[in-house]
Amino acid sequence: MACVLLRSTAGAGGSTPGAMSIAQPLRQHFRQQHASLACITRRGISSGRCSSSDSGSSSTDSRRQQGSVSQCVHGSRSRSQGSPSVRRQLCSVAAASAAQQVAPEATADPPHVSVLLAEVLAAFEGRQVRRYVDGTLGAAGHAGAMLAQHPELQTLVGFDLDPTAHALASARLSAAGAGIVPVAVSATGTASFDAAAAAAAGPGPTAFLVRSNFGRMARVLQQLPLDGAGGDAADGSGSGVDAILLDLGISSMQVDTADRGFSFLREGPLDMRMDPGAALSAEQLVNTWPEAELGRVLREYGEERYWKSIARRIVAAREEEPITTTQQLVKAVGNPGGGGGRGGRSGRGGRGGGDAKYKHPATRVFQAIRIAVNGELQSIAQVLPDAIDCLAPGGRLAVITFHSLEDRIVKWAFRRAAGMAPSDEQLPSYCLPFEEAQPEASIRILTRRPVAPSEEEQQANVRSRSAKLRVVEKL
């Protein structure tokens, strides 16, 4: 989601979490991105990303990277189109990022830094962003940086279900000079807020902090005083928002809080609700859903190879006693791909039952159950066309995903909106229907390939390694 922990790592620009303002890690991150962009401009627009810390493996790293910041800013270009003016513009973006200063007194002091922050800022660099929507507010890491980079910003709307995130974001944005207006949303999608407080927010930007899932973005924006946001105006002028960010998945704040029940490494109640007031919890799902439905969730949402045997193990364990804690679930899952399983084969990576990406045998299980509890994939499929509709002409939508299920939905939703032909690939049920091309494109895709974190960011923020950024622009 919005952030990962900043790990103290020698040579990686790390620092002791919580020991200083976010300003220093931001400046360090921008310096790293400046080096990457400078390398890109030397090698050509489409040459990929370079590693400033390991020049000996730069060609391998370049092939391995899935995009570059330049694609975010200027769209896909061939090497022959890397004109001097474009390269100068890239250098300008890098220099602006490197020089960006976020004053310590203008931010709160949360112990994390946002994923792909420099790349997200580059996606909106040099554009007039007066109305900005953060669909996954978190602790307002991206939102705070957008406020700092875009002094012209007048209205910020942040969506999040987590009350803890709202408390952190409110403090951070208020310290940055924004007037805070809390927004409650009813079960029917009706937004309620203090209109007088919104009108008297002061000379700075107004931040509407919406306690809701981003799936209700279009409906909520139509009810807020955003001067035309939330759809095309009748005259077609001044309508819509200028920038939207969706940073999908789960935040480190939630994973690292044992009482939330998201982590298989920490003992805690089996909850996993992003909205603590939601009806369905992981405990209810695990203890009441039929074995066949549990298996479907593990197969579709976790892409779990051993979904049948794990669903059977969970049912057998709950028949002995209710599964109410995270460690009870971990014990029930066991190690189906490890020693003794499948005829003694090592399964997913042998030791520990994991592979390079999923080292713990319960990783996919916890992911699948969390997605089912919160209806994450359905919300993503719902919000993408709505977010595109809410953009003003020339406005941009940036989406960060953290696993293949999220990225698949985003990829095909963007291709559909861009008027591209559907593929022969059989799309899962949670993707938007895509059986024929749209008669008219509504966006252009700026990232031919998704942008991945730099090597430096992956070293400093281990949880960022699977992140991918895709950006589109409204026509």
Side-chain angles (χ1 to χ4, degrees):
M1 196 175 165
C3 47
V4 295
L5 293 182
L6 181 63
R7 190 180 62 181
S8 179
T9 307
S15 59
T16 305
M20 61 180 177
S21 144
I22 199 71
Q24 185 175 339
L26 274 179
R27 290 195 294 269
Q28 178 77 12
H29 195 81
F30 290 149
R31 283 196 292 269
Q32 293 167 352
Q33 291 307 317
H34 176 260
S36 296
L37 277 171
C39 188
I40 290 168
T41 58
R42 288 195 301 269
R43 295 169 61 89
I45 295 301
S46 61
S47 63
R49 196 186 302 273
C50 306
S51 171
S52 60
S53 62
D54 186 7
S55 57
S57 60
S58 61
S59 61
T60 302
D61 292 341
S62 177
R63 287 193 300 270
R64 190 165 60 241
Q65 293 298 335
Q66 300 179 49
S68 68
V69 178
S70 64
Q71 288 179 311
C72 250
V73 180
H74 304 291
S76 300
R77 286 182 167 88
S78 66
R79 183 183 299 271
S80 62
Q81 292 174 304
S83 66
S85 63
V86 172
R87 289 195 292 271
R88 283 195 298 271
Q89 194 170 1
L90 273 172
C91 289
S92 174
V93 171
S97 292
Q100 177 73 34
Q101 302 290 325
V102 181
E105 65 271 13
T107 59
D109 195 25
H112 40 252
V113 64
S114 300
V115 173
L116 288 167
L117 179 59
E119 290 84 348
V120 167
L121 293 178
F124 302 119
E125 177 72 30
R127 311 183 72 79
Q128 288 292 307
V129 179
R130 293 186 174 87
R131 294 179 292 268
Y132 167 70
V133 176
D134 195 321
T136 44
L137 183 63
H142 288 108
M146 285 292 289
L147 278 176
Q149 179 170 277
H150 294 275
E152 76 279 7
L153 203 154
Q154 299 169 356
T155 307
L156 183 154
V157 183
F159 290 80
D160 208 297
L161 284 167
D162 192 338
T164 302
H166 274 264
L168 290 171
S170 179
R172 188 175 208 169
L173 296 177
S174 179
I180 307 300
V181 180
V183 180
V185 181
S186 70
T188 59
T190 301
S192 59
F193 59 95
D194 188 337
T206 301
F208 292 94
L209 304 190
V210 184
R211 178 78 185 278
S212 175
N213 183 284
F214 55 62
R216 289 174 169 166
M217 180 182 295
R219 179 165 171 75
V220 170
L221 291 182
Q222 289 170 351
Q223 301 174 66
L224 298 179
L226 307 183
D227 300 326
D232 293 337
D235 63 359
S237 63
S239 63
V241 298
D242 304 305
I244 299 176
L245 172 66
L246 298 173
D247 185 7
L248 305 177
I250 184 173
S251 76
S252 291
M253 294 184 297
Q254 294 166 329
V255 172
D256 295 331
T257 303
D259 289 346
R260 302 298 296 274
F262 288 106
S263 175
F264 48 77
L265 298 177
R266 293 173 171 80
E267 176 66 74
L270 194 59
D271 194 317
M272 299 195 198
R273 290 175 293 182
M274 292 184 181
D275 178 3
L280 179 64
S281 69
E283 179 182 341
Q284 290 172 291
L285 186 155
V286 165
N287 287 287
T288 63
W289 284 23
E291 181 178 330
E293 189 64 7
L294 284 174
R296 181 194 67 80
V297 166
L298 297 176
R299 183 183 71 249
E300 291 190 9
Y301 299 160
E303 298 181 304
E304 170 57 60
R305 181 187 307 175
Y306 304 112
W307 58 272
K308 283 186 179 179
S309 62
I310 292 176
R312 188 163 54 246
R313 290 176 182 221
I314 290 174
V315 171
R318 77 188 189 191
E319 287 177 352
E320 294 183 8
E321 63 174 338
I323 301 173
T324 61
T325 70
T326 55
Q327 294 310 299
Q328 280 182 288
L329 180 57
V330 169
K331 182 179 179 181
V333 170
N335 189 8
R342 297 273 180 178
R345 292 185 301 174
S346 61
R348 288 180 287 170
R351 187 175 60 185
D355 57 21
K357 187 175 180 182
Y358 296 98
K359 295 185 180 299
H360 193 287
T363 300
R364 294 176 185 263
V365 174
F366 271 65
Q367 171 186 300
I369 293 173
R370 187 202 80 221
I371 289 174
V373 166
N374 296 287
E376 293 178 32
L377 301 185
Q378 292 77 7
S379 294
I380 296 169
Q382 177 184 347
V383 75
L384 291 172
D386 288 348
I388 291 170
D389 287 343
C390 289
L391 286 173
R396 289 185 174 183
L397 167 63
V399 183
I400 300 174
T401 62
F402 286 87
H403 56 74
S404 61
L405 283 77
E406 295 172 342
D407 190 60
R408 189 177 297 128
I409 298 173
V410 176
K411 170 186 173 181
W412 288 107
F414 282 177
R415 289 176 64 91
R416 180 176 181 268
M420 302 174 72
S423 170
D424 294 335
E425 176 184 343
Q426 182 66 37
L427 297 182
S429 59
Y430 48 77
C431 287
L432 290 168
F434 187 15
E435 297 176 356
E436 57 183 24
Q438 285 190 175
E440 212 173 308
S442 58
I443 62 168
R444 69 184 182 102
I445 298 173
L446 302 184
T447 46
R448 183 180 59 181
R449 296 179 180 178
V451 177
S454 65
E455 293 292 338
E456 292 84 0
E457 179 171 6
Q458 292 183 51
Q459 290 171 12
N461 302 312
V462 175
R463 293 173 183 172
S464 73
R465 62 183 180 265
S466 62
K468 295 179 181 179
L469 172 67
R470 295 182 185 269
V471 186
V472 298
E473 181 175 293
K474 182 76 171 285
L475 296 177

